[in-house]
Amino acid sequence: MSFNDDSIDIVTPANAVLSAKFRRSFAYQTVRDRLPVTITKVIDNLVRDKDQIVQDLGEFTKEEMKEVIGSFSKLKNEVQTNKPFEVLTSDGPDVSSWNTYYEREREREGEKPRWFHTSWLYAECYMYRRIHEVFELSTSMKTFDPFNKQKKDAFLNSLDLIVFLGNHVMQLLRMKNLSQLEMKEELLRLVKVTLWGNQHDLSHPTGYKLPEEANPLEHIDRLNEYILIDDSHHIWSTLTASGKANAVIDIVNDNAGYEIFTDLCLADVLCTFSLTDKVRFHVKALPWFISDTTKHDFFWVLQKLADLSCKSSSLPALATRWEEHLQSGRWVVEAEDFWTLPHAYNEMKATDNNLYTKLSEATLVIFKGDLNYRKLVGETNWLPTESFTNALQGFHPAPLVTLRTLKADLICGLQPGQAEMTAAKSHNWLTSGDYAVIQFDG
Ligand SMILES: O=P(O)(O)OC[C@@]1(O)O[C@H](CO)[C@@H](O)[C@@H]1O
Ligand SMILES: [Mn+2]
């Protein structure tokens, strides 16, 4: 099948895995338009920041950057001309896993995987891994994060929201004698703040959204009608019923900036309300989908908050609390390689049994964001009424919940007629980021 073959199916068939081979899909738009744009932006930013980078990394980098930029132009051309994928040749700890995946897909597809033929999930993950590989193969830029500046700017651009939420959370953390009902209401509101925090994603075409109101809490109350499935009450009942000693919650985080700040606020409230003894944050081991949080981004946020007393005393106060949580081991930040492999989560048990076993210890696993959702449901075009449990295809390390704003054309767990009704209100409801789901699997 050639790249320009118009006989290729147009609409993604029911129960098929999403792919750019289906021309009337968001996957096709992404691979055709958005992936090359992402690579172009990496090049443009390198050119723009050249002097600063050379100042930081040394004179040698000046020459090396030319090669790096050349490799990115080649990568962009590979995407645009639908070239076959190749094995990775760097020496990262995840390289053999990537290459095993490659061999498996090559065998399954009967030819080398290509951008417009293979699954969207594989193609998009592979692009971010190839971007990282270009730096890994250099001498002086091995750990360079080409999205670092964008992530920092995004955080600084949402400071009004951060101050507002920080003040609110600080007040909440100081309150004594809240009733169970009050605690439940406050917690579930914060869950929704972190849910909508997922709109703040730099790889999405509508860009980085800031609600008009500076008060994110008022804003989210008005957004309830856009939550198509709201299983949030299960979060409360699961955590209060658990009665586990040394209870752990795992949060599989998504974007840096405002979103990670909301996740940290939620985690502190979960600990302070005694709903868990420990929170493990799972971030990315390499720069990923532009705005995903790495360990470096996580600690940068803490550092930045500590320096922001000029904005509000709540921010350094929160930074101090969070440093203490980390020091005491109550909070742990991990960056397992599995999160930056192209596997759907039903393959976790066989691929990374240690991680699956670790998640099995949790009272609740919270998955943030759209990409995690795609991996949870196997990047499949389910009938919208398919149950979430079926769509997970056996992935169930522990009770889990997904907090996702809709930014890809797949969904499950809706009521009959709900998809049609929502589509009648908004033609791009699945991809605009305006709608959301909170789906629980107990
Ligand atoms: O996981 P996140 O940050 O919520 O979203 C990632 C995302 O922007 O990237 C993909 C397209 O490039 C889409 O699945 C999704 O919209
Ligand atoms: Mn993301």
Side-chain angles (χ1 to χ4, degrees):
M1 204 184 283
S2 85
F3 173 42
N4 287 319
D5 185 346
D6 286 333
S7 67
I8 298 168
D9 289 345
I10 294 185
V11 177
T12 313
N15 299 324
V17 170
L18 309 191
S19 163
K21 70 183 166 202
F22 305 121
R23 295 291 173 84
R24 217 166 349 123
S25 70
F26 193 59
Y28 177 65
Q29 278 177 39
T30 300
V31 178
R32 190 193 59 187
D33 304 329
R34 295 172 54 220
L35 300 194
V37 166
T38 299
I39 301 170
T40 305
K41 275 197 188 150
V42 169
I43 297 174
D44 291 350
N45 292 346
L46 284 171
V47 172
R48 186 197 58 199
D49 300 336
K50 193 172 94 218
D51 292 346
Q52 186 61 50
I53 296 170
V54 171
Q55 205 178 316
D56 293 347
L57 301 179
E59 204 47 33
F60 178 73
T61 308
K62 203 180 211 165
E63 274 311 300
E64 198 161 42
M65 272 176 81
K66 291 183 193 155
E67 279 168 47
V68 163
I69 289 173
S71 303
F72 284 130
S73 304
K74 180 175 164 286
L75 177 61
K76 184 172 147 186
N77 179 267
E78 286 179 36
V79 179
Q80 289 178 319
T81 55
N82 198 24
K83 288 277 185 309
F85 294 2
E86 297 297 341
V87 291
L88 298 177
T89 57
S90 60
D91 58 1
D94 58 341
V95 165
S96 69
S97 305
W98 272 96
N99 290 345
T100 305
Y101 190 92
Y102 170 84
E103 291 305 340
R104 187 188 80 181
E105 288 310 290
R106 183 157 105 145
E107 202 163 303
R108 210 181 47 81
E109 293 177 27
E111 58 168 4
K112 289 183 175 181
R114 290 169 187 261
W115 301 90
F116 287 85
H117 293 174
T118 196
S119 80
W120 174 28
L121 182 62
Y122 184 21
E124 199 167 16
C125 292
Y126 177 71
M127 182 195 75
Y128 285 98
R129 187 61 186 85
R130 284 284 305 276
I131 290 176
H132 185 57
E133 188 193 39
V134 169
F135 292 114
E136 276 180 317
L137 291 173
S138 76
T139 308
S140 62
M141 302 183 80
K142 286 190 183 300
T143 58
F144 188 82
D145 180 347
F147 311 118
N148 185 260
K149 190 171 182 318
Q150 274 164 278
K151 288 185 273 192
K152 285 182 177 165
D153 289 348
F155 177 87
L156 297 172
N157 287 336
S158 44
L159 268 189
D160 287 349
L161 288 176
I162 288 173
V163 167
F164 200 97
L165 184 60
N167 289 341
H168 170 80
V169 168
M170 217 38 230
Q171 245 176 4
L172 194 59
L173 295 170
R174 288 199 187 105
M175 275 183 198
K176 304 273 176 270
N177 307 324
L178 283 179
S179 69
Q180 286 285 299
L181 186 63
E182 285 166 331
M183 277 207 244
K184 178 178 175 185
E185 277 176 4
E186 292 294 350
L187 179 80
L188 296 192
R189 245 169 133 212
L190 212 48
V191 164
K192 289 180 182 170
V193 171
T194 76
L195 165 70
W196 291 110
N198 180 243
Q199 283 185 324
H200 293 233
D201 152 22
L202 298 174
S203 78
H204 192 256
T206 60
Y208 192 75
K209 291 195 181 190
L210 282 180
E212 278 147 32
E213 300 84 337
N215 179 343
L217 292 150
E218 263 177 32
H219 182 69
I220 57 131
D221 285 344
R222 264 181 278 136
L223 287 175
N224 279 340
E225 63 176 296
Y226 294 93
I227 303 180
L228 299 176
I229 301 167
D230 183 357
D231 288 343
S232 58
H233 54 284
H234 285 294
I235 298 178
W236 178 258
S237 52
T238 302
L239 296 178
T240 47
S242 125
K244 262 192 195 171
N246 304 319
V248 182
I249 293 177
D250 284 294
I251 306 183
V252 184
N253 300 98
D254 188 0
N255 302 304
Y258 177 65
E259 183 171 358
I260 191 75
F261 179 75
T262 64
D263 297 345
L264 291 163
C265 289
L266 175 68
D268 200 350
V269 170
L270 286 166
C271 292
T272 308
F273 285 3
S274 300
L275 293 166
T276 190
D277 298 298
K278 184 169 179 165
V279 175
R280 287 188 297 226
F281 299 95
H282 299 270
V283 298
K284 303 298 191 291
L286 46 103
W288 195 245
F289 282 67
I290 306 182
S291 44
D292 279 24
T293 312
T294 60
K295 275 195 182 180
H296 180 275
D297 302 325
F298 186 102
F299 291 108
W300 181 86
V301 167
L302 259 56
Q303 175 70 53
K304 201 73 210 163
L305 292 170
D307 294 342
L308 280 168
S309 54
C310 56
K311 288 282 175 187
S312 158
S313 60
S314 301
L315 303 185
L318 287 170
T320 306
R321 290 177 64 89
W322 298 348
E323 288 290 357
E324 282 167 10
H325 289 331
L326 289 163
Q327 303 246 316
S328 68
R330 206 170 198 207
W331 284 9
V332 179
V333 191
E334 308 192 343
E336 295 92 347
D337 287 334
F338 186 79
W339 308 116
T340 43
L341 293 177
H343 290 281
Y345 292 158
N346 67 334
E347 293 177 350
M348 184 190 288
K349 201 174 187 171
T351 316
D352 188 344
N353 197 259
N354 287 343
L355 180 60
Y356 193 89
T357 308
K358 190 190 283 182
L359 297 183
S360 310
E361 300 160 1
T363 322
L364 181 69
V365 188
I366 302 175
F367 288 90
K368 294 292 316 283
D370 196 80
L371 179 62
N372 273 324
Y373 191 87
R374 288 166 60 187
K375 288 182 165 188
L376 280 167
V377 303
E379 183 86 323
T380 298
N381 183 30
W382 297 107
L383 292 177
T385 49
E386 184 64 66
S387 76
F388 183 44
T389 306
N390 281 353
L392 288 166
Q393 299 169 84
F395 178 70
H396 187 80
L400 62 92
V401 67
T402 166
L403 309 180
R404 169 219 184 193
T405 60
L406 276 53
K407 293 178 279 185
D409 46 2
L410 75 175
I411 186 92
C412 63
L414 295 184
Q415 296 300 316
Q418 200 179 2
E420 294 76 3
M421 237 165 56
T422 315
K425 284 190 210 155
S426 165
H427 71 98
N428 61 348
W429 64 288
L430 279 168
T431 56
S432 63
D434 294 335
Y435 288 85
V437 290
I438 302 176
Q439 281 173 277
F440 176 83
D441 186 53

